[in-house]
Amino acid sequence: MKQANKLLCVEGLQSGYGTAPVLRDVCVDVLERECVAVVGSNGAGKTTLLRTLSGLLRPSGGSIAFRGQRIDVLPPHKIVERGLVHVPEGRRIWPRMTVEENLFMGAYHARARRERSRRLDEVYSLFPRLKERRLQWAGTLSGGEQQMLAIGRALMACPALLTLDEPSLGLAPVVVDEVYEVINRLRQSGMAILVVEQDISRALQAADRAYVLENGTITMEGLGKELIDDPRIRASYLGLEQTAGG
């Protein structure tokens, strides 16, 4: 993998909560225009990884470089300004603000404010239902619409790399299809994406490359389409047995 193509480079990352370590010697790369998945069971450390990348947690070891510059010492708002934007688990929208007010909250730094009108048009094009409900309180939206709003708010910050924490969590299968269709469209537009998921099959199908995180350590990595057929993944995560010839 050529260093020049790396948008995100995580090396030897150690992180956790207080004195309790969660991540141990984690190494993850994301190339420009690439979709990468980090998959694993609940409690594997996936959310901790994204919280550390976005500056919400300070790593205790290792390094995080974005666009060739260290960001692990920066506060979260400075990381967003660099172009790494996090969509948190559980959406975290402001329920008693309108849809449009929530979107505007994503465009708080100087470059995003300058591009706010254009970005808003792009978000409404991507999510027509948000445009229909732009004056509606966000708390009255369905779960799927709230997930769309959380992604739209992140897009207002002009990301070069969008990180998504469990975007399918709690959603009906048809809504998950819609969310992943949006992820695919963003990827096709040239945006790099890092998604962490318990829905391993869905994530591996969407990803160019993927990492398996177990107990805070990367145990496997490879192309998404290869990992989904790996007998260890099929048996441990998908509940499938590898059959002869298939």
Side-chain angles (χ1 to χ4, degrees):
M1 191 178 299
K2 295 181 180 180
Q3 184 70 33
N5 292 334
K6 289 184 182 179
L7 188 63
L8 177 73
C9 182
V10 179
E11 296 184 339
L13 187 65
Q14 300 179 56
S15 186
Y17 302 88
T19 58
V22 176
L23 302 177
R24 295 180 296 278
D25 196 30
V26 168
C27 298
V28 171
D29 295 320
V30 180
L31 303 184
E32 296 176 1
R33 307 176 68 91
E34 185 180 41
C35 180
V36 173
V38 177
V39 299
S41 58
N42 189 33
K46 303 185 304 298
T47 292
T48 300
L49 173 61
L50 291 196
R51 287 174 60 84
T52 305
L53 296 181
S54 62
L56 297 174
L57 287 175
R58 187 69 66 200
S60 57
S63 65
I64 305 169
F66 183 67
R67 289 175 158 172
Q69 297 184 327
R70 291 280 295 270
I71 62 170
D72 44 273
V73 296
L74 296 179
H77 70 281
K78 291 294 184 182
I79 293 174
V80 171
E81 290 176 8
R82 297 284 181 93
L84 192 159
V85 183
H86 178 200
V87 180
E89 180 182 358
R91 294 102 190 182
R92 304 291 178 87
I93 54 128
W94 287 280
R96 295 183 67 85
M97 296 174 65
T98 68
V99 166
E100 196 153 283
E101 287 169 340
N102 269 268
L103 292 173
F104 285 162
M105 292 296 288
Y108 66 86
H109 63 80
R111 181 165 62 90
R113 288 197 302 272
R114 289 194 300 269
E115 298 186 19
R116 191 176 76 168
S117 179
R118 180 179 65 83
R119 300 295 293 197
L120 185 65
D121 288 342
E122 291 177 353
V123 168
Y124 283 154
S125 176
L126 196 62
F127 300 111
R129 272 181 283 174
L130 294 184
K131 185 174 183 179
E132 294 170 4
R133 293 159 172 73
R134 63 187 182 277
L135 302 181
Q136 186 173 321
W137 275 7
T140 65
L141 299 177
S142 69
E145 290 166 345
Q146 289 186 16
Q147 183 64 68
M148 294 172 189
L149 177 57
I151 295 173
R153 181 181 59 192
L155 295 176
M156 293 293 292
C158 305
L161 172 60
L162 187 69
T163 70
L164 300 109
D165 192 351
E166 304 283 4
S168 69
L169 185 65
L171 302 181
V174 65
V175 181
V176 175
D177 288 343
E178 292 181 26
V179 169
Y180 270 88
E181 175 59 27
V182 167
I183 290 172
N184 186 52
R185 288 174 62 184
L186 291 173
R187 171 189 169 195
Q188 290 176 349
S189 75
M191 184 176 296
I193 296 171
L194 176 62
V195 58
V196 306
E197 270 282 15
Q198 290 186 64
D199 188 341
I200 291 175
S201 178
R202 178 76 66 168
L204 293 181
Q205 290 176 42
D208 297 303
R209 292 187 302 110
Y211 298 85
V212 178
L213 188 64
E214 296 180 350
N215 299 317
T217 302
I218 300 293
T219 58
M220 296 176 66
E221 63 179 278
L223 299 178
K225 61 184 179 182
E226 293 177 351
L227 288 179
I228 202 168
D229 290 326
D230 188 286
R232 293 166 293 177
I233 297 292
R234 291 170 64 85
S236 298
Y237 293 103
L238 303 181
L240 301 171
E241 295 295 335
Q242 186 77 357
T243 59

